[in-house]
Amino acid sequence: MAVVTDSTAALPPGLAHAVGLQVVPLDVTIDGARYVEGVDVTPEQLLHALERGAKVTTSQPPPSAFAAAYERAAAAGAHEIVSVHLSGEMSGTVRSARTAATVSPVPVRVVDSRTAALGLGFAALAAADRARTPVDGAHDVPPEPEDGLGGAVRRWMARTVHRGGPVTVWPDATEVAQVAAAAAASSRVWFLVDSLEHLRRGGRLGTAAAALGTVLGLRPILSVQDGRLAVCEKVRTRRAARDRLEQLAVAELAGRPAVRIAVHHVGPSDAADEVAAHLASAVGIPTADVLVADAGAVLAAHVGPGLLAVVVADA
């Protein structure tokens, strides 16, 4: 089993590799020059470009990029793939993945996370963790696999590899995809930015909502709702908005027995580190258990400098 995601998952460098996740990068264009996120442009470089007023746009990976990732996974021994991606309401990334799945050498289950940043990242991590965990209560004879190519491969393996001995039964793509979808559905993402203009220009936020931060001088707290960005609260100052951001997260954390928490930033991490420490103290966990992560170049292009975001999801 292989799990694939895209770079808007905003996973810290090394974490995806450590759990066996393949990450397909999105493209970033700065003043007409094309770059690949995480390959030849860093969040810091993009931040400098935004600060100097460069024209910055992004685009989803072409289907060929996903096809190449699926081929690499198959060549490495994967018999099935689960591909978990940025909300289809925000990007065409998931459509590219579905197109590539039709020509993959092994079956691919594509999951539209309907969220972003580490809301997506936590879903991909949950899928990768489930894919590496044997099914509880495995018996000497594996359960009958599903139909199709994936089922044929598993039946062949049962006959030729596992005959006569104990079997380690691994979850199939359907189960892993369900775990990813459940983790994504459990996530809550709130964030605030210095300016809503970048979101307005990119079409991620309506003109009326963007006017809250300009004409009216309010600091809207945004959230991901039904796969889209929406204004959930309006606060007078950035300091008050940051305090409210923490309050929303703490209230959400109170009802969850096991959670994953992340704080995103674009640019210096000082404020994100402070928020992480406050959240950790509020729920009684070590500060190190709160993941502080750069939002990544693509998200930075859409939200601009000054992003501060909190992500909560079931563990």
Side-chain angles (χ1 to χ4, degrees), residues 216-266:
L216 301 181
L218 297 176
R219 294 283 184 171
I221 296 176
L222 306 175
S223 65
V224 179
Q225 299 176 10
D226 298 323
R228 297 175 178 270
L229 291 178
V231 176
C232 65
E233 299 207 7
K234 313 175 192 72
V235 187
R236 281 291 176 189
T237 67
R238 183 174 175 85
R239 179 70 229 190
R242 175 175 147 180
D243 291 343
R244 184 57 183 150
L245 194 68
E246 294 180 10
Q247 292 167 6
L248 289 167
V250 170
E252 184 69 33
L253 290 166
R256 300 184 187 229
V259 295
R260 289 178 171 179
I261 311 171
V263 182
H264 281 301
H265 60 91
V266 170

Side-chain angles (χ1 to χ4, degrees), residues 76-123:
H79 300 293
E80 294 176 297
I81 298 168
V82 172
S83 204
V84 191
H85 299 293
L86 173 65
S87 173
E89 300 288 345
M90 300 183 191
S91 167
T93 299
V94 74
R95 291 194 296 274
S96 286
R98 285 175 175 148
T99 299
T102 64
V103 296
S104 171
V106 297
V108 179
R109 293 293 182 102
V110 177
V111 178
D112 181 347
S113 72
R114 298 188 64 76
T115 187
L118 272 161
L120 163 60
F122 284 151

Side-chain angles (χ1 to χ4, degrees), residues 49-75:
L50 291 170
E51 289 175 339
R52 65 178 171 82
K55 182 180 179 181
V56 178
T57 60
T58 66
S59 60
Q60 70 263 22
S64 59
F66 286 107
Y70 300 155
E71 288 171 5
R72 287 193 299 270

